[in-house]
Amino acid sequence: MINDKAMDSGGKKVITAILIALNLMMLVIGILTIPPNLQSAEVNDSPGLSAEQTVPATPPQEEEFPPVATESGSVVKPEETDSSLSIEEKDTNLSMEETYASLSTEKRPDLADFLWYTEEVAYDGLPSDANIIDNIGSLTGSWKALIIYDPNNEYDAGAMEFLNVSLTGTAESLTLTLDWYQIFLANEGESVDETDMEDSVFMGKWENGDLWASGPGTIHLAQFYELNGKQYAVGTMDTPDGTPALMALVRP
């Protein structure tokens, strides 16, 4: 199994090469989609509409809400009446809602979600200000995930795979469900849609802060941590054919 915290210089070169190829492919896709966008812009810039037709007229300056009468008979504007919560109380409640909201996400991942890993953590290890998570109860739910195959270029099988991972269960009996999304094959220089693939299920347990799960291979997530309102996980995956892989998770 490869090192969880860092890779050698050869592995760094392989990942860099995959990232460059992936970015080039995305650039080509972007160029191919430019003509329709330009055509749409030309339609929007058609001289058929005058400035008066395209810019909304300024509405007359009227009071947004009419005055209302209170029980005492006085007349006040709605904004002058007391609200049930002050601005400070509303802000506090909103902050609490945001703080305790679930970080679970089912959004599909892309490369930008994992720059923290491909540019930093894969080589330098965890940030010094990371807060280690040692309670699986706060980790259940859905994550965005990345798998980097053959990171040290030992098997000529370099690839990056994007997917979603759902973690359910307890420390003694947990389930990882891998919902495949897209894989970029370095040698072929192409991306393959995997949304129609059947999900893969891994069964395992949480032990001393480590997550072990077996299925079509073995997943070992050795470090979970929180930083700046996000949760992260890093580890490795041993595939059925013996190709080593790095694995990273993030949410939201």
Side-chain angles (χ1 to χ4, degrees):
M1 183 175 292
I2 55 182
N3 194 311
D4 287 352
K5 295 183 179 180
M7 293 176 293
D8 59 28
S9 59
K12 185 172 184 177
K13 292 179 181 178
V14 171
I15 292 184
T16 301
I18 295 176
L19 290 172
I20 291 174
L22 182 55
N23 283 323
L24 287 174
M25 185 188 70
M26 295 172 66
L27 177 61
V28 170
I29 294 174
I31 292 174
L32 292 176
T33 59
I34 287 177
N37 294 335
L38 288 178
Q39 184 178 5
S40 175
E42 291 174 356
V43 173
N44 292 333
D45 292 339
S46 172
L49 296 177
S50 64
E52 290 78 9
Q53 291 172 307
T54 57
V55 179
T58 302
Q61 299 299 316
E62 297 180 351
E63 293 186 12
E64 186 176 358
F65 301 102
V68 296
T70 64
E71 294 180 357
S72 62
S74 61
V75 177
V76 298
K77 296 180 180 179
E79 58 267 27
E80 295 174 348
T81 58
D82 291 334
S83 61
S84 58
L85 291 175
S86 66
I87 295 178
E88 291 78 12
E89 289 174 329
K90 290 179 180 178
D91 289 343
T92 300
N93 284 354
L94 179 61
S95 177
M96 291 176 61
E97 289 175 3
E98 292 175 345
T99 300
Y100 294 105
S102 173
L103 296 178
S104 178
T105 178
E106 295 183 358
K107 290 184 178 180
R108 287 301 195 180
D110 59 31
L111 182 59
D113 291 316
F114 295 95
L115 296 180
W116 60 273
Y117 182 72
T118 59
E119 296 183 359
E120 299 178 15
V121 174
Y123 315 112
D124 303 326
L126 270 57
S128 58
D129 52 347
N131 297 314
I132 302 300
I133 301 174
D134 56 8
N135 179 8
I136 191 174
S138 64
L139 301 174
T140 56
S142 298
W143 299 68
K144 297 177 181 179
L146 168 71
I147 301 175
I148 302 176
Y149 296 97
D150 192 17
N152 291 320
N153 198 29
E154 299 171 335
Y155 299 83
D156 195 30
M160 279 190 174
E161 193 161 34
F162 299 94
L163 63 152
N164 292 81
V165 172
S166 176
L167 171 58
T168 59
T170 63
E172 294 75 22
S173 177
L174 58 85
T175 301
L176 284 181
T177 303
L178 278 56
D179 179 8
W180 308 101
Y181 171 49
Q182 191 176 57
I183 186 170
F184 175 76
L185 305 172
N187 291 341
E188 287 76 7
E190 65 178 5
S191 181
V192 179
D193 189 316
E194 299 180 317
T195 52
D196 291 334
M197 285 180 53
E198 183 179 355
D199 294 349
S200 296
V201 179
F202 289 70
M203 308 295 293
K205 62 180 179 178
W206 173 273
E207 189 174 54
N208 299 323
D210 286 10
L211 186 154
W212 293 88
S214 298
T218 302
I219 292 175
H220 175 209
L221 295 173
Q223 295 168 313
F224 290 83
Y225 66 97
E226 181 274 335
L227 185 64
N228 298 326
K230 289 180 175 287
Q231 290 181 334
Y232 304 85
V234 295
T236 60
M237 179 178 183
D238 292 332
T239 62
D241 64 1
T243 302
L246 298 172
M247 191 169 188
L249 279 63
V250 65
R251 68 180 187 180

